[in-house]
Amino acid sequence: MPDSLFTTPFIAAPMAGGTSTPALVQAVHEGGGLGFLAAGYKTPEAMVSEIAAVRALNVPCGMNVFVPDARQLHPGPEALARLEAYREELEPEAARYGVTLRPLRLDDDDAWQDKIEALLANPVEFVSFAFGLPGKPVVAALRKAGTTVICSVTSVREAVAAAEEGPDAIVVQHSSAGAHSAAFLPGAKESAGTPAARTTAELVAQVRAAVGLPLIAAGAIMDHAALRGVLDAGASAAQVGTALLRTQESGARQAHKDALGSPAFTQTAMTRAFTGRMARALVNDFVRDHQDAPEGYPAIHHLTAPVRAASSAAGDPQRLNLWAGTGWQRAREGSSKDVVREFLSGL
């Protein structure tokens, strides 16, 4: 059953790019879960506006923030050359839709400092971090403001590093999860003496043995049985994303929702093609054509943005980032409220 830190074992994963909406937060709450918003790619003003919208609904929520990676913001000459070469590789993709690729953007830290300051001035119940650790001063300041702080990890080694920052809980993300990997330590999945976890429950058990903080499991949790499994493995709650993507409250693009239900897509893969950061997506033409995409987040995210927008506008899923966990076939339409209730039934 849920740890005292959480009143529910069901947490809606924060899904950036417009997928997580105030309406989704409300529906998840009505179903008995906790909803999250996503600050990624938004201005601080837009983030604050979404918080206000949820406040008007009188429901609790969390906010997820991307931690900037200094290595990606200041690439060396070789890394920069790889990014320029990838830009040339993408020119035919842009020409297909009659759009223009932008110059490489290397200065985007996702308004990190402004977002932290806004969350300190207008605290929400929960703040989670992805792509890195926020630093002990940020964790302490948010906790002092009354916010429960959550760090995201993908391995035992990352979990130990995260625990040293003093958060209240840790998201344990397995490689089966959809969208971006939260990994932030090179080679973190090959920690010495720790075998690769085949399932989310196995990874939770490994991390449970290493740290004493409440854990939130993430990765291929698509039904009640999977939720029960990670709770039995030592998680206090599960973070669920793909199972909510097709629901009516999800802000995912319609082409994305349709692709998740289409028999034309038969597998997922980890790819850097869309954003320069490893993420799990349905395998489409773009993933197949750009298997050797270099590391370079968020520069590649900005580079491919006009192609993805044009693909969506044309209703063409073949060049759209179709984020999906390995259990995507079980994502269904309808209300998120009903999805959450089915997960929680019998717990």
Side-chain angles (χ1 to χ4, degrees):
M1 296 308 292
D3 188 274
S4 58
L5 189 63
F6 306 104
T7 60
T8 173
F10 186 103
I11 298 174
M15 296 177 280
T19 300
S20 290
T21 64
L24 181 59
V25 171
Q26 181 182 29
V28 167
H29 172 76
E30 291 175 351
L34 170 66
F36 259 74
L37 296 169
Y41 313 129
K42 292 185 176 72
T43 64
E45 294 77 17
M47 180 191 76
V48 171
S49 178
E50 284 205 339
I51 292 172
V54 171
R55 287 280 179 263
L57 299 170
N58 197 32
V59 298
C61 76
M63 179 64 73
N64 178 258
V65 183
F66 291 163
V67 178
D69 184 343
R71 296 177 304 121
Q72 300 301 320
L73 294 175
H74 305 285
E78 292 184 4
L80 188 59
R82 287 192 292 270
L83 289 173
E84 291 289 2
Y86 191 55
R87 187 181 186 282
E88 292 183 13
E89 180 182 326
L90 293 175
E91 287 289 358
E93 303 284 12
R96 183 189 306 273
Y97 297 110
V99 298
T100 302
L101 295 179
R102 304 163 183 166
L104 287 175
R105 182 179 176 187
L106 303 172
D107 63 344
D108 181 19
D109 69 351
D110 206 38
W112 164 257
Q113 191 60 45
D114 289 342
K115 287 177 180 177
I116 295 302
E117 290 176 2
L119 289 168
L120 289 172
N122 184 26
V124 292
E125 286 83 358
F126 300 86
V127 169
S128 65
F129 293 97
F131 305 169
L133 301 178
K136 291 181 180 179
V138 171
V139 172
L142 286 168
R143 294 190 70 197
K144 185 177 181 180
T147 295
T148 295
V149 178
I150 304 168
C151 292
S152 304
V153 308
T154 64
S155 70
V156 171
R157 189 155 64 94
E158 288 182 343
V160 171
E164 292 176 354
E165 299 227 332
D168 297 283
I170 293 176
V171 170
V172 179
Q173 183 198 49
H174 186 256
S175 59
S176 57
H180 285 111
S181 168
F184 58 87
L185 290 179
K189 293 187 180 301
E190 290 78 38
S191 301
T194 304
R198 294 170 297 174
T199 66
T200 304
E202 284 188 8
L203 183 58
V204 167
Q206 290 176 0
V207 174
R208 174 78 291 148
V211 300
L213 292 169
L215 305 180
I216 304 166
I221 301 170
M222 297 296 297
D223 55 26
H224 171 89
L227 172 58
R228 180 74 270 172
V230 295
L231 296 180
D232 289 344
S236 298
Q239 182 171 280
V240 178
T242 301
L244 298 169
L245 275 174
R246 298 184 68 196
T247 63
Q248 61 197 37
E249 297 87 4
S250 161
R253 289 163 163 155
Q254 191 58 48
H256 189 176
K257 292 184 177 185
D258 293 344
L260 290 166
S262 170
F265 297 96
T266 60
Q267 60 182 321
T268 65
M270 296 296 289
T271 179
R272 290 194 187 98
F274 295 106
T275 69
R277 184 179 184 88
M278 279 296 188
R280 185 171 294 281
L282 294 178
V283 176
N284 58 10
D285 288 348
F286 199 93
V287 173
R288 281 186 287 265
D289 292 345
H290 304 291
Q291 296 182 37
D292 297 322
E295 185 179 18
Y297 178 89
I300 292 175
H301 159 74
H302 291 297
L303 190 60
T304 66
V307 173
R308 290 180 281 126
S311 176
S312 177
D316 177 10
Q318 291 300 333
R319 283 159 186 84
L320 190 60
N321 51 312
L322 305 172
W323 302 146
T326 57
W328 88 92
Q329 299 99 327
R330 284 172 284 165
R332 66 174 181 81
E333 299 174 300
S335 173
S336 299
K337 177 171 62 177
D338 294 332
V339 171
V340 177
R341 285 176 174 169
E342 289 183 10
F343 268 83
L344 297 177
S345 177
L347 284 182

